[in-house]
């Protein structure tokens, strides 16, 4: 029987908070149960497995990150929107490292949960909408989305791992990277003859 007051959302939030504190890879069902003051078995009335919990954390994080990005980019376009989008992404990764990790690694997520979750779907819509200001069409638009995601994720992941030990502040490099990304998006290379489109 499910413990009174315990819900899938409460279990997910406890797992997400723990992930931010100790890293997603160190989250276990036992650790979450201890955090909630219940026995391990009580959790299984709400989440099926550790992988299910991780999937729920990923969906929670996707929703939270998308809300931040939407608020940051509202009413902005072009470079302003790109910078606001990128800064919101990076700040979320800094504030919630465990949750952020859950959004970036392969996790088997219950298709029914995915179908009900607005975060991932809205994230895609926001990203493509923001980049359309650069007048890109397919397949360039998808390529631009992939480049932007690679740039933001690569930078934030290296930064979190202590990969920028150089004397030049990472913040200065971040600003220049966004300048370079904006310039590239404005001057996206066109397909030459004989190249795939």
């Amino acid at each position: 029987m499910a413990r009174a007051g315990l819900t899938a959302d409460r279990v997910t939030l406890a797992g997400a908070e723990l992930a931010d504190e100790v890293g997603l890879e160190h989250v276990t069902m036992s650790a979450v149960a201890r955090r909630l003051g219940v026995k391990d078995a009580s959790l299984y009335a709400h989440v099926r497995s550790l992988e299910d919990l991780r999937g729920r954390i990923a969906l929670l994080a996707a929703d939270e990150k998308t809300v931040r990005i939407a608020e940051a980019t509202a009413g902005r376009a072009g470079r302003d929107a790109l910078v606001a989008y990128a800064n919101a992404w990076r700040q979320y990764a800094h504030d919630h490292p465990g949750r952020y990790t859950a959004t970036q690694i392969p996790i088997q997520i219950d298709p029914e949960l995915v179908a009900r979750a607005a975060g991932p779907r809205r994230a895609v819509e926001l990203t493509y909408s923001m980049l359309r200001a650069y007048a890109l069409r397919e397949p360039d638009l998808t390529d631009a989305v992939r480049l932007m995601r690679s740039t933001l994720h690569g930078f934030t992941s290296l930064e979190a791992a202590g990969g920028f030990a150089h004397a030049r502040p990472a913040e200065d490099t971040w600003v220049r990277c966004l300048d370079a990304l904006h310039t590239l998006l404005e001057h996206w290379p066109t397909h030459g003859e004989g190249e795939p489109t």
Side-chain angles (χ1 to χ4, degrees):
M1 178 176 290
R3 181 186 173 105
L6 203 59
T7 64
D9 287 346
R10 279 194 64 204
V11 173
T12 301
L13 184 57
E17 290 170 348
L18 188 61
D20 288 339
E21 292 169 13
V22 302
L24 183 68
E25 68 277 13
H26 298 298
V27 172
T28 64
M29 296 295 274
S30 293
V32 174
R34 282 194 301 276
R35 187 180 192 91
L36 290 168
V38 300
K39 295 189 180 300
D40 294 16
S42 300
L43 301 185
Y44 291 97
H46 306 283
V47 296
R48 291 193 309 269
S49 63
L50 180 58
E51 186 75 356
D52 182 37
L53 176 59
R54 286 180 173 172
R56 290 170 184 271
I57 292 170
L59 292 177
L60 169 67
D63 188 56
E64 291 175 339
K65 183 160 73 81
T66 300
V67 168
R68 279 204 191 183
I69 290 172
E71 290 173 349
T73 58
R76 300 174 185 267
R79 184 186 183 283
D80 286 346
L82 174 66
V83 170
Y85 183 110
N87 286 339
W89 174 303
R90 182 180 178 215
Q91 192 61 52
Y92 186 84
H94 285 182
D95 293 346
H96 299 291
R99 298 180 212 204
Y100 176 77
T101 297
T103 68
Q104 301 299 317
I105 62 172
I107 298 174
Q108 292 294 323
I109 305 177
D110 182 343
E112 289 185 16
L113 289 177
V114 173
R116 293 196 305 264
R121 194 169 47 252
R122 191 168 178 219
V124 171
E125 292 167 357
L126 273 171
T127 305
Y128 276 80
S129 177
M130 186 269 293
L131 288 178
R132 282 195 185 94
Y134 290 98
L136 298 173
R137 296 184 179 180
E138 293 295 0
D140 294 330
L141 185 55
T142 292
D143 292 342
V145 168
R146 290 173 177 171
L147 172 66
M148 189 179 76
R149 182 180 176 200
S150 298
T151 302
L152 302 187
H153 175 62
F155 192 102
T156 54
S157 296
L158 286 168
E159 186 177 31
F164 298 138
H166 191 275
R168 178 168 168 77
E171 182 63 30
D172 293 349
T173 303
W174 174 255
V175 171
R176 295 297 288 144
C177 284
L178 297 185
D179 285 343
L181 186 56
H182 168 67
T183 300
L184 175 56
L185 291 168
E186 278 200 317
H187 303 282
W188 192 264
T190 56
H191 289 285
E193 272 191 41
E195 291 184 3
T197 58

